[in-house]
Amino acid sequence: MARNIQSLERAAAMLRLLAGGERRLGLSDIASALGLAKGTAHGILRTLQQEGFVEQDDASGRYQLGAELLRLGTTYLDVHELRARALVWADDLARSSGESVYLGVLHQQGVLIVHHVFRPDDSRQVLEIGAMQPLHSTALGKVLSAYDPVAHSEAVEADRKAFTDRTVCDLAPFEQILDLTRARGYAADVEETWEGVASIAAPIHDRRRMPVGAVGITGAVERVARDGELRPELIAAVRDCARAVSRDLGAGRF
C-alpha cells in the first residue's frame, strides 16, 4: 500500500485549520494546534504563501487563506454549475443530431472535457470525461480560443502540432480561422485532429456575458458533412444548444 506524503498531509491540515478559524492565526498557534515544530510549520506556511494559498498580514504577521484557493474554488463551482446546466440540453443535442456531444472548458493549455454524451446508437464507445483536447485543431478549442482571451494567448504561444495534413499550424491562417469563428458563431474541425472525424462547436457564456466553455458534436465526416459541407441543421442544433445553456447560466439572448 502506497504511503502518504507527510508534508502534503501537514499542508492540508494547515489549510483546514485556517479555513475553520474566525480570525487570523499566528505561527505559534498553527504549530501548537498541529503538533509541529515552529520551523517545520514556518517552512510549510512559506511554501503555501509563495503559491498563493496562504496570505500573511503585514501588521500582525498572522496567516489566513489566500486568494488562489478562492480562485480554484470558484473555478470548480463554475464548472460544476456549467455541467449541471448543460446536462439536459446536451442529451437533447445527442438525440437530435445522432452524434456524440462534448462539453469542454479551458484547462492549462488545452480543452478539458467535463461532460460527454454518447452517440445514441448501440456502438461501443469510451467515456472521455477528463480527456484533454488541443486548442488549435479541435472545434471546441477553436471556439475557446476565439472567445476567451486567456485561451487565445495559450493557443498562440503553444507549439501548434500537426495531427493530420489538414491541421492549421501557422499563426496567420489560424488567426483568420478565429476571426471566422467569431463572425459565424461556431467552429469546425474537419479531419484536422483525427482522420475521418468532423466536429462542430459553439461558445457558452455566463451571466456576465463571459465565455465559460464550449459545446459541440463529433462524428464521422460522412455523417456530419454532406458534399464537402457541414450539414446546416447540425450547425443550427449546436448553436441552439449553446444558446440554451447560456440562457440557463443567465446570459440572456445571444
Side-chain angles (χ1 to χ4, degrees), residues 133-155:
Q133 293 186 4
L135 285 169
H136 70 286
S137 63
T138 62
L140 293 172
K142 292 176 193 175
V143 164
L144 292 174
S145 299
Y147 287 90
D148 185 337
V150 177
H152 179 263
S153 296
E154 296 286 1

Side-chain angles (χ1 to χ4, degrees), residues 2 4-5 11 42 49 52 54 72 96 98 103 117 121 125 127 140-141 146 180 182 191 196 220:
N4 293 340
I5 300 175
H42 185 255
Q49 186 178 0
V54 164
L72 291 175
S96 66
L103 183 69
V117 183
D121 59 20
Q125 299 173 64
L127 188 65
L140 293 172
L180 180 60
R182 285 185 286 266
E191 297 189 284

Side-chain angles (χ1 to χ4, degrees), residues 39-146:
T40 301
H42 185 255
I44 296 172
L45 283 166
R46 187 173 62 247
T47 301
L48 291 172
Q49 186 178 0
Q50 289 171 349
E51 295 298 324
F53 297 142
V54 164
E55 295 175 355
Q56 186 178 26
D57 182 68
D58 292 334
S60 67
R62 291 175 176 268
Y63 295 89
Q64 65 184 15
L65 293 180
E68 182 65 11
L69 275 180
L70 176 61
R71 186 190 70 80
L72 291 175
T74 301
T75 299
Y76 169 77
L77 292 173
D78 286 347
V79 171
H80 181 73
E81 182 183 9
L82 173 62
R83 184 175 180 276
R85 298 288 186 179
L87 289 176
V88 173
W89 299 111
D91 286 345
D92 287 347
L93 178 58
R95 282 193 295 269
S96 66
S97 68
E99 302 296 346
S100 300
V101 174
Y102 294 87
L103 183 69
V105 299
L106 176 66
H107 181 67
Q108 296 177 351
Q109 290 80 44
V111 182
L112 173 66
I113 303 302
V114 297
H115 187 54
H116 174 200
V117 183
F118 284 163
R119 185 172 63 255
D121 59 20
D122 296 328
S123 62
R124 184 174 181 178
Q125 299 173 64
V126 177
L127 188 65
E128 295 187 45
I129 293 175
M132 293 291 293
Q133 293 186 4
L135 285 169
H136 70 286
S137 63
T138 62
L140 293 172
K142 292 176 193 175
V143 164
L144 292 174
S145 299

Side-chain angles (χ1 to χ4, degrees), residues 14 46 59 67 141 159 161 170 190 200 227:
M14 199 169 286
R46 187 173 62 247
D159 179 17
K161 176 183 175 182
D170 293 339
V190 181
I200 304 168
D227 298 326

